Structure formats: structure tokens, C-alpha cells
């Protein structure tokens, strides 16, 4: 048998064939107890150690020290003068060396997994002088591995999931074990995986530990959790190999492979008619074996419904039926509709060939409740003439019991809304009358509340606001003194689509609306020409314009933004006033004409040189006008010079009932008496229907040619400085006074 040392050296020669074994004496044959080869001694030409690396098996179980190897130098003559010294990892404790022979032994059992290699240093010394015979040389002691460690998994239990209905071979998870043995030496760390529990549902890859599905159509709704045991065995799975196991808990995750279904396809719901709009009256539920968002559903009424709607409670996945329109037991008691349920989220892999929705029928029964009275209108807006006397009729409100038995109703006024006690109401028929006279100047609106109460059940009451508006009336006065009182007739010029006038035949009239729905956006102001005529002969009339403003009001009828009053204004004066003003103006103009004639005897030209308006607009008001908006109420064209006057000028404030041709004669150019000229002009204007009364005057300041009066000025021209007659006004005064009496028809002693 070959000794362990020889085997060790043989292994070394195989590992390092290029390095000769360093022996000072003897040869390999002597070392193994073999004769010399051909009687020659093999000698190394170069000194050196005979070792480089030693190998030692781990986990030695013998009682003696484990032999490692032998150190030997070619300086050793075998006479005991050489001493071997060992230093490095574990020298002197774990590893011991015989100083004389160089044998190395391990004193303890070694574990490769604890330390796989030790590095030491060897020295050769002269025993007598301690001089180094060889330099310090390094060598290794490598621990050979044996299969003394089983495979281990990182965790005792793993958790994994895979979608239900997955195809065969779908990867679930990968589990890996580790072996502490040497991966590069033998099969001690070569692992093989196998499944001990979990078949036939799952399988495992023997090389990498990947778990896969092995059975098709695994349904979460049938079985959700699986326990799979995986084993890892070393030595490539051979007999005698060590093994380790782990458990993998696999859960089938949900997919939307199940449609919602109604357990009962008919539902009945009962509610009362007083349920408010938007209130819930019942719930229905469909079942879906899926979980999470795969079980989310949405409900809808097939074809929609005008009275009911259905929404989904996202927490409970129930369909909630709500009121969409007010219920009325007396109108309809029973309803029936069809409800559809479907999944919110669909999986395209499972919808083919499967109806992922279901239907159910819902019947709703409405129950009667005792309801309060209902007014025919809400609110009421009633118009009453101002200055209405006490006990006058105002209006009627009407309420009824909406229940089938139609219980009687009584009426009352909430006195908190009528603190002055201006109104009363008939408790039986709802007729409202005045208790006191109403004054529009004190209050234009009266807002009261009327209460309707069921006689058999006083708890059933209803309130309604009643807005009472006082209507303004118009009136007129005449400064004349008729023999038998004033009698005025009111009318409206033309046809007005918005308003009408009603003559009350008591010298007052009412203005009423002919339509509703006035809007400030369309028109904020209306102008109503009102014609007022007397009953004396000759009949005199006047036109006034009434301004009606559209006001913005709130829901209770209170005015929010508007002028405080509806103000009429006048666009004309009485005939007598106009004539008096006209005579005064004519006298003044004649004085101016005569004065100019004295200064310009040799020049005969119109008094008004240019065609610009040189006029005095003398207006007398006995009522409040309309301000700047009143400019359309009169025409001042009459004041223009006859040569520049528009012959077709008509009034712009009203539409005349008949169109008359405008007639005007040319100024007198021959020797005509001034009185005849003025009198002719007055008669001409009296017979002209388009002539005044306006707030304007016609100007006759035109000097005629060949006047018999010649110059009436008290001043002589510059060429004639003789005595003058300064009493010309006293000569002409009686003539003008007589002319005024002729036109006005009044006594001479009366003041004009």
C-alpha cells in the first residue's frame, strides 16, 4: 500500500508538474520504498521546499491528531542539525509541526464551511546557531468538503397568487434554496426541486424552483387557497443526499368571470305620496360571486322613467330607487318598470357567450296621506284702484283639499302681515275686501298672507302671499268756468298694443295693461299720448304724454329699481294762453320792425337776414314736464322765418288721425293794413288742424313792402332831425286791444 505521504506527494506532482520535488538526498523511489532507478541519484539543481499546498478532509472523527503532511528541505542531512519552524493561521494551536521530522498534524476537527483554507509559513533553521537555512516560504492547507449541510430555504412559508382561470403553465412564484457545501467540489451542493404537496394543481421546475399552474380552469369561486410543499435535495437528488422543504401558500386572485344575477326577479316597493323629490323609497340587490371592482354593478331603468330613477350604492352595491317627480295618490297609485343590472368593469376574456347583465321587475304602490290645502295660484297679484273706499271688493283666493275626500277649507288673514287691518277675507269663499280706504301715496303695495285650513284637521294649513297693487288714475282740470261743471273725455291717440285707457266718466280715467310679461330688457319706458277734451263749444282738447316705466321687482312684488313715480308731462298749452303769448310777441316784434325801418329807410330787406333760427320759445307750464325726454312733445319749427320753413313739417309726438296738407300763404307784399295782415294770419292758424296749441309760437316778424303805416318810430333818421311824435303807442294801443278782444272773445275789461 502507498502511504498517505506518498499519495499526497503524487497529488502534488499532478497539480504542479512543472515543479520538481525538492529532496536533498534520496529519490522518489526511496520515498515510496522503491529501489533507485539505474543506480542514479536524482538531484535537484535548485533548492526549494517540497510542498506548496496540503489537503485535509473536514469533519475528522478520529481520536488522534489528524495527519496533514510533511515538510522537508534539501538542507536537511538527517543528522538532527536542522530545525523546522511553523508560523501563520493556527500555527502552534490548530496545527503542530515536529521540529526534527517536519510532520504536521491538525489538533481539532475542521469545518470547511467555517474556514476553507489556512495560510502558513515554514522556516528551516540551524539548530545550533538558529541561522536560517532556507528563506521563509508560504504554503496553504485547504480543507476538502464533505456533504455535511442540507439545503435551506430563506423562509419557512411563502405567499403567492395567480389569477383564476389561468392557462396551464402560468408562472406563480419561484422559491430557491441554498447549500453551504462547496459548489465547486462534487455534488454536495447540487440541488434538485420537487413538489411534495399541491398536485395536481401545481408543478415545480426541478432546476430553478419555479412553481407553475398544472390544472386548467381553476375557479376562485370553487376553491381560493392552496398549500404547496416544495423540497430541495442535494447530491443531485441521489440516495443519501440531504434535503430541505418550504411551504408556499397560493391564492387564486379574482377575475370578472361571473355576471351579476338577481336572486328574485320581482320586487315590490311601497311609499307614501308625500315623499319628497329625490327621496329614496326602496332598494334592490343583485348577487355577483366576484369580489372587488369585478363585483361592482350599476343599475338602470330600462327605457328610463319620468317619475322614478335608480342609482347604485357604491358601498353595498344595491340599487336605490328614488323619486324623480312628485307623487299623487289621487292621480296614480301603482307603477311598474323594469330594472337592468350589469357589471361596471368587464373582462374581455370572459364576455363571449355569457350574458353579463340581468333584469328584474319593480312594482311601486303609492299610499295616500292627508295633504294640506292647495291654492290655485302662488302667489296672488291683485290690482286695486287707488282711493278705493272701505268695504270695496279686492279679489278672491281659492284653495282646495287635494285628498280624495276633498275636505272643506276655511280662510283667514295672517294679522302679522296686516297690522293696520286694511283687509278682511270671507272664511268660506276667500273673498278679500277693504276695511279702510287705500291711499297709493301712503303705500303702493300691500303684501298680506292668506291661510287656508282644513276644517276637519286644523293641523293641515297652507299659506299663500297676496300682493295687492294700487293702480294710479289720471285726471285733468280746466281753468275755464263752464256753466254746468267740467266734463272731460279721455282717449288715447292711435292704437296701443300694450295699454288701454278707460274713461271713468267722473273726470278721471284708468290706464290698464293689455298684456303681461313686460321686460326691462325689451323696453324700459313707454310714452302714452292721452287726449283730454272738454264738452263746451267750441270743443277744446289737449294732449299729454304719460310716461310708463317698467320696474324691476322681487318675487314678492316689491319694487327694486325704478323711478319713484310715473310722471305725466304736457306737450301743449290752452288756446287762450297761446293767443295771449302770441299777441305779446307780435307787439314786441312790430316795435323792433318799426325801429329798424326808421334806421334803414333806404334798405328794404327781411328783418331776419340769415336763415338761422332767431326765435323766442316762450313756454308756460302748469304741470310737471318730462325733462329732456320732452323734446319730442312739441315742434318749434313754427318759429322759423316763412322763407326757410319746412312746408311739410308734422308733429312728431303723436300720429295724427288724418293728414292735412300744410297751407301757408306768402307774406303780404303790397300796401295792406297791418291789422288785416295779422287778422288773416290768426284766422289761417285757427282753421289749420296742424297749427298750435304747442309749446311754441309762430313768428310773423317780416316787414311787408308798401306799408301804409310807414315808420312808427319815435326816432327820426339821421338825415331828418325834426320833431317827432312820441305818442305812437297810444295811437296803436286801442287797435291792438280791439284785435285781442276779437280773437279771444272776452270783455274789454277782462284781464288777458
Amino acid at each position: 500500500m502507498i502511504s498517505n505521504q506518498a499519495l499526497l506527494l503524487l497529488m502534488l506532482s499532478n497539480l504542479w508538474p512543472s515543479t520538481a520535488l525538492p529532496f536533498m538526498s534520496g529519490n522518489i523511489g526511496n520515498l515510496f520504498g522503491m529501489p533507485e532507478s539505474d543506480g542514479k541519484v536524482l538531484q535537484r539543481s535548485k533548492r526549494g521546499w517540497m510542498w506548496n499546498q496540503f489537503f485535509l478532509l473536514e469533519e475528522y472523527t478520529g481520536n488522534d491528531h489528524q495527519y496533514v503532511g510533511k515538510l522537508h528541505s534539501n538542507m536537511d542531512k538527517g543528522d538532527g542539525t536542522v530545525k523546522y519552524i511553523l508560523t501563520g493561521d493556527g500555527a502552534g494551536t490548530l496545527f503542530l509541526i515536529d521540529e526534527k521530522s517536519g510532520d504536521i498534524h491538525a489538533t481539532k476537527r475542521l469545518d470547511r464551511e467555517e474556514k476553507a483554507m489556512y495560510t502558513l509559513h515554514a522556516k528551516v533553521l540551524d539548530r545550533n546557531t538558529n541561522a536560517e537555512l532556507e528563506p521563509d516560504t508560504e504554503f496553504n492547507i485547504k480543507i476538502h468538503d464533505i456533504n455535511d449541510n442540507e439545503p435551506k430555504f430563506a423562509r419557512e412559508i411563502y405567499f403567492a397568487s395567480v389569477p383564476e382561470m389561468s392557462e396551464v403553465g402560468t408562472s406563480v412564484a419561484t422559491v430557491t434554496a441554498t447549500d453551504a457545501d462547496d459548489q465547486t467540489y462534487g455534488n454536495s451542493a447540487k440541488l434538485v426541486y420537487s413538489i411534495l404537496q399541491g398536485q395536481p394543481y401545481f408543478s415545480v421546475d426541478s432546476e430553478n424552483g419555479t412553481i407553475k399552474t398544472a390544472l386548467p380552469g381553476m375557479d376562485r369561486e370553487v376553491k381560493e387557497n392552496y398549500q404547496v410543499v416544495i423540497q430541495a435535495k442535494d447530491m443531485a437528488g441521489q440516495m443519501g443526499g440531504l434535503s430541505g422543504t418550504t411551504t408556499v401558500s397560493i391564492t387564486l386572485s379574482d377575475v370578472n368571470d361571473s355576471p351579476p344575477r338577481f336572486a328574485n326577479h320581482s320586487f315590490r316597493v311601497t311609499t307614501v305620496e308625500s315623499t319628497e323629490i329625490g327621496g329614496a323609497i326602496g332598494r334592490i340587490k343583485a348577487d355577483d360571486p366576484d369580489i372587488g371592482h369585478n363585483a361592482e354593478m350599476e343599475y338602470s331603468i330600462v327605457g328610463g322613467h319620468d317619475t322614478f330613477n335608480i342609482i347604485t350604492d357604491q358601498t353595498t352595491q344595491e340599487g336605490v330607487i328614488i323619486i324623480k317627480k312628485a307623487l299623487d295618490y289621487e292621480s296614480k297609485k301603482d307603477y311598474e318598470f323594469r330594472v337592468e343590472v350589469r357589471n361596471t368593469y368587464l373582462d374581455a376574456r370572459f364576455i363571449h357567450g355569457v350574458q353579463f347583465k340581468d333584469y328584474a321587475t319593480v312594482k311601486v304602490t303609492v299610499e295616500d296621506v292627508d295633504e294640506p290645502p292647495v291654492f290655485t295660484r302662488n302667489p296672488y297679484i291683485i290690482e286695486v284702484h287707488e282711493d278705493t273706499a272701505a268695504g270695496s271688493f279686492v279679489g278672491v283666493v281659492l284653495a282646495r283639499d287635494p285628498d280624495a275626500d276633498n275636505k272643506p277649507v276655511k280662510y283667514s288673514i295672517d294679522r302679522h302681515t296686516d297690522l293696520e287691518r286694511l283687509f278682511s277675507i270671507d272664511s268660506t269663499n276667500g273673498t278679500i275686501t277693504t276695511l279702510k280706504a287705500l291711499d297709493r301715496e301712503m303705500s303702493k303695495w300691500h303684501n298680506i298672507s292668506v291661510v287656508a285650513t282644513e276644517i276637519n284637521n286644523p293641523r293641515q294649513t297652507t299659506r299663500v302671499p297676496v300682493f295687492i297693487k294700487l293702480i294710479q288714475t289720471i285726471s285733468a282740470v280746466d281753468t275755464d268756468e263752464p256753466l254746468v261743471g267740467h266734463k272731460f273725455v279721455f282717449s288715447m291717440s292711435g292704437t296701443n298694443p300694450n295699454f288701454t285707457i278707460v274713461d271713468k266718466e267722473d273726470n278721471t280715467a284708468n290706464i290698464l295693461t293689455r298684456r303681461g310679461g313686460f321686460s326691462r330688457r325689451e323696453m324700459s319706458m313707454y310714452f302714452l299720448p292721452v287726449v283730454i277734451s272738454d264738452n263746451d263749444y267750441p270743443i277744446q282738447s289737449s294732449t299729454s304724454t304719460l310716461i310708463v316705466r317698467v320696474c324691476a321687482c322681487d318675487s314678492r312684488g316689491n319694487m327694486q329699481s325704478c323711478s319713484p313715480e310715473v310722471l305725466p308731462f304736457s306737450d301743449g298749452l290752452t288756446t287762450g294762453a297761446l293767443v295771449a303769448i302770441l299777441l305779446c310777441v307780435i307787439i314786441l316784434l312790430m316795435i323792433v320792425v318799426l325801429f329798424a325801418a326808421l334806421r334803414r329807410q333806404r334798405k328794404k330787406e327781411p328783418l331776419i337776414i340769415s336763415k338761422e333760427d332767431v326765435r323766442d320759445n316762450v313756454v308756460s307750464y302748469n304741470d310737471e314736464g318730462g325733462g329732456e325726454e320732452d323734446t319730442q312733445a312739441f315742434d318749434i319749427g313754427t318759429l322759423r322765418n316763412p322763407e326757410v320753413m319746412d312746408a311739410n313739417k308734422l308733429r312728431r309726438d303723436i300720429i295724427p288721425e288724418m293728414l292735412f296738407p300744410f297751407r301757408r300763404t306768402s307774406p303780404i307784399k303790397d300796401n295792406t293794413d297791418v291789422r288785416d295782415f295779422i287778422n288773416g294770419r290768426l284766422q289761417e292758424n285757427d282753421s289749420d288742424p296742424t297749427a298750435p296749441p304747442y309749446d311754441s309760437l309762430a313768428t310773423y316778424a317780416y316787414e311787408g313792402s308798401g306799408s301804409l303805416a310807414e315808420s312808427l318810430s319815435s326816432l327820426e333818421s339821421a338825415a331828418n332831425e325834426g320833431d317827432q311824435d312820441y305818442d305812437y303807442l297810444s295811437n296803436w294801443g286801442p287797435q291792438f286791444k280791439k284785435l285781442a278782444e276779437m280773437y279771444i272773445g272776452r270783455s274789454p275789461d277782462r284781464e288777458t
Side-chain angles (χ1 to χ4, degrees):
M1 297 293 292
I2 301 176
S3 63
N4 292 335
Q5 292 87 344
L7 180 61
L8 179 60
L9 291 175
L10 182 60
M11 294 173 60
L12 289 174
S13 66
N14 292 330
L15 293 172
W16 296 277
S18 63
T19 302
L21 296 177
F23 293 103
M24 292 296 296
S25 63
N27 51 31
I28 297 177
N30 292 333
L31 179 60
F32 294 109
M34 299 174 61
E36 296 181 359
S37 174
D38 299 331
K40 295 181 179 180
V41 179
L42 299 177
Q43 294 184 347
R44 181 182 175 88
S45 62
K46 182 180 178 182
R47 69 177 180 84
W49 294 100
M50 63 148 193
W51 65 86
N52 192 321
Q53 184 168 278
F54 294 99
F55 293 91
L56 183 66
L57 293 176
E58 66 172 336
E59 302 296 341
Y60 174 70
T61 59
N63 296 325
D64 298 331
H65 289 173
Q66 186 179 4
Y67 181 75
V68 178
K70 184 179 182 66
L71 297 179
H72 188 75
S73 175
N74 55 7
M75 300 297 293
D76 188 358
K77 306 287 187 192
D79 56 2
T81 60
V82 175
K83 180 173 66 174
Y84 295 94
I85 301 298
L86 186 66
T87 61
D89 292 342
T93 56
L94 185 58
F95 299 102
L96 298 178
I97 190 171
D98 189 324
E99 293 181 353
K100 295 181 179 180
S101 63
D103 293 331
I104 302 174
H105 292 81
T107 62
K108 297 180 180 179
R109 183 175 64 177
L110 301 178
D111 186 1
R112 191 202 67 84
E113 286 71 42
E114 183 178 344
K115 192 175 179 65
M117 187 173 65
Y118 296 86
T119 302
L120 295 97
H121 296 267
K123 291 182 179 181
V124 180
L125 302 178
D126 186 293
R127 184 178 294 279
N128 296 322
T129 63
N130 285 332
E132 291 188 0
L133 301 178
E134 292 279 356
D136 187 349
T137 304
E138 180 182 277
F139 68 95
N140 297 324
I141 300 176
K142 186 175 182 181
I143 310 301
H144 268 298
D145 181 54
I146 64 173
N147 189 20
D148 60 342
N149 292 282
E150 73 278 1
K152 292 183 179 180
F153 290 94
R155 287 182 287 179
E156 294 183 359
I157 184 169
Y158 291 84
F159 296 93
S161 66
V162 64
E164 62 175 332
M165 300 295 177
S166 295
E167 296 180 357
V168 174
T170 302
S171 178
V172 179
T174 298
V175 292
T176 304
T178 58
D179 196 318
D181 293 328
D182 192 356
Q183 301 285 339
T184 62
Y185 180 75
N187 293 327
S188 298
K190 186 173 179 57
L191 305 181
V192 174
Y193 298 92
S194 61
I195 183 168
L196 302 181
Q197 179 182 323
Q199 294 175 327
Y201 306 104
F202 300 95
S203 63
V204 65
D205 190 301
S206 61
E207 294 184 0
N208 56 29
T210 300
I211 303 172
K212 300 179 180 180
T213 58
L215 189 67
M218 287 189 294
D219 192 355
R220 186 200 66 83
E221 287 75 34
V222 177
K223 185 176 182 179
E224 183 176 5
N225 296 308
Y226 296 85
Q227 301 296 321
V228 178
V229 178
I230 302 298
Q231 180 191 66
K233 190 175 183 180
D234 61 12
M235 297 302 292
Q238 299 176 5
M239 292 289 294
L242 303 178
S243 64
T245 61
T246 187
T247 300
V248 182
S249 178
I250 301 176
T251 301
L252 296 183
S253 60
D254 184 61
V255 297
N256 192 10
D257 60 334
S258 300
R261 291 288 181 262
F262 284 109
N264 185 3
H265 287 80
S266 179
F267 295 87
R268 182 172 293 276
V269 179
T270 302
T271 185
V272 295
E273 62 175 335
S274 59
T275 304
E276 296 181 354
I277 296 177
I281 64 173
R283 292 171 175 256
I284 62 176
K285 182 71 167 66
D287 298 321
D288 192 328
D290 294 324
I291 59 175
H293 73 279
N294 293 321
E296 292 183 6
M297 296 173 281
E298 56 184 11
Y299 299 83
S300 62
I301 297 178
V302 178
H305 203 279
D306 58 348
T307 306
F308 301 97
N309 192 15
I310 188 168
I311 60 176
T312 304
D313 187 330
Q314 298 298 334
T315 303
T316 62
Q317 294 300 310
E318 293 177 313
V320 183
I321 303 173
I322 61 175
I323 297 296
K324 188 176 176 181
K325 188 175 71 175
L327 302 176
D328 186 8
Y329 172 82
E330 288 71 27
S331 299
K332 191 172 184 179
K333 304 175 183 178
D334 298 299
Y335 297 86
E336 182 176 324
F337 50 87
R338 198 173 181 216
V339 173
E340 176 188 278
V341 62
R342 63 169 63 207
N343 281 129
T344 305
Y345 307 98
L346 299 179
D347 194 325
R349 297 175 298 172
F350 306 106
I351 61 177
H352 301 291
V354 180
Q355 185 75 7
F356 269 78
K357 55 186 175 182
D358 199 11
Y359 300 91
T361 301
V362 178
K363 297 180 180 180
V364 179
T365 301
V366 180
E367 295 182 345
D368 186 29
V369 295
D370 191 5
E371 299 175 90
V374 177
F375 282 93
T376 56
R377 291 163 56 190
N378 189 0
Y380 285 87
I381 300 178
I382 302 175
E383 294 181 346
V384 180
H385 297 298
E386 63 177 333
D387 300 328
T388 299
S392 300
F393 171 81
V394 174
V396 178
V397 297
L398 179 63
R400 66 175 184 84
D401 182 9
D403 297 323
D405 50 5
N406 194 15
K407 300 176 183 177
V409 175
K410 64 178 181 179
Y411 304 92
S412 62
I413 295 178
D414 185 353
R415 289 305 172 186
H416 292 91
T417 62
D418 185 23
L419 298 177
E420 298 180 0
R421 295 186 176 272
L422 299 176
F423 305 95
S424 66
I425 190 170
D426 190 300
S427 61
T428 304
N429 56 29
T431 300
I432 301 174
T433 56
T434 58
L435 293 175
K436 300 178 181 179
L438 303 180
D439 187 356
R440 184 180 181 276
E441 282 66 34
M442 296 297 295
S443 179
K444 301 176 183 178
W445 289 86
H446 296 280
N447 305 331
I448 63 176
S449 293
V450 175
V451 181
T453 306
E454 288 186 11
I455 296 177
N456 297 336
N457 187 2
R459 292 179 298 179
Q460 297 294 342
T461 62
T462 303
R463 294 172 178 267
V464 68
V466 179
F467 304 125
I468 301 174
K469 177 183 178 181
L470 299 186
I471 302 176
Q472 185 180 19
T473 59
I474 59 175
S475 60
V477 295
D478 193 337
T479 56
D480 293 334
E481 295 180 356
L483 298 177
V484 184
H486 293 296
K487 176 62 177 179
F488 300 129
V489 177
F490 295 87
S491 62
M492 188 174 294
S493 177
T495 302
N496 193 304
N498 302 310
F499 303 93
T500 185
I501 188 169
V502 177
D503 194 336
K504 297 178 63 177
E505 298 183 356
D506 58 354
N507 291 342
T508 62
N510 292 336
I511 302 295
L512 304 178
T513 59
R514 302 186 68 174
R515 65 178 181 88
F518 288 92
S519 174
R520 291 172 60 90
R521 297 185 185 92
E522 297 176 359
M523 183 174 292
S524 62
M525 186 180 301
Y526 294 86
F527 298 93
L528 307 182
V530 180
V531 180
I532 310 167
S533 304
D534 58 19
N535 62 343
D536 201 359
Y537 184 82
I539 296 176
Q540 301 293 333
S541 64
S542 175
T543 301
S544 295
T545 300
L546 180 68
I547 300 177
V548 180
R549 289 184 172 87
V550 180
C551 304
C553 303
D554 57 18
S555 59
R556 298 179 60 86
N558 297 319
M559 184 172 63
Q560 292 180 331
S561 61
C562 193
S563 299
E565 294 289 342
V566 178
L567 298 177
F569 67 88
S570 175
D571 65 347
L573 298 175
T574 61
T575 303
L578 286 174
V579 171
I581 295 172
L582 179 62
L583 290 176
C584 294
V585 173
I586 291 174
I587 293 173
L588 293 176
L589 292 178
M590 289 183 65
I591 294 175
V592 174
V593 171
L594 294 175
F595 179 78
L598 292 175
R599 298 297 301 268
R600 298 179 180 85
Q601 292 181 353
R602 298 179 181 179
K603 287 186 177 182
K604 292 186 178 181
E605 59 183 5
L607 180 61
I608 301 177
I609 299 175
S610 68
K611 294 186 178 181
E612 296 180 354
D613 292 339
V614 181
R615 59 189 181 271
D616 290 333
N617 187 10
V618 183
V619 181
S620 176
Y621 291 88
N622 58 3
D623 59 353
E624 183 177 358
E628 294 181 359
E629 298 175 353
D630 204 14
T631 57
Q632 297 297 325
F634 57 90
D635 180 16
I636 63 174
T638 318
L639 297 180
R640 295 182 181 271
N641 189 288
E643 293 183 359
V644 298
M645 184 173 180
D646 187 358
N648 296 322
K649 188 69 173 179
L650 300 178
R651 292 192 58 174
R652 292 176 292 170
D653 58 327
I654 62 172
I655 301 176
E657 296 181 359
M658 295 181 61
L659 296 178
F660 294 88
F662 186 84
R663 302 185 306 275
R664 183 173 299 278
T665 60
S666 60
I668 301 174
K669 298 185 180 296
D670 52 0
N671 296 331
T672 305
D673 190 82
V674 175
R675 291 181 302 168
D676 296 337
F677 168 73
I678 295 175
N679 195 26
R681 282 298 179 91
L682 291 177
Q683 293 178 359
E684 178 182 325
N685 281 276
D686 285 343
S687 61
D688 188 354
T690 64
Y694 305 129
D695 287 346
S696 59
L697 295 174
T699 303
Y700 309 111
Y702 184 89
E703 182 178 5
S705 61
S707 174
L708 297 177
E710 297 182 348
S711 175
L712 301 180
S713 173
S714 61
L715 301 177
E716 192 72 7
S717 64
N720 188 3
E721 296 292 339
D723 294 336
Q724 303 294 327
D725 184 6
Y726 294 93
D727 197 23
Y728 65 93
L729 292 177
S730 60
N731 296 329
W732 284 93
Q735 297 181 14
F736 283 109
K737 185 175 181 181
K738 182 177 180 180
L739 180 62
E741 291 172 359
M742 286 173 53
Y743 182 79
I744 299 176
R746 297 186 179 181
S747 60
D749 58 347
R750 187 166 177 183
E751 193 176 302
T752 301

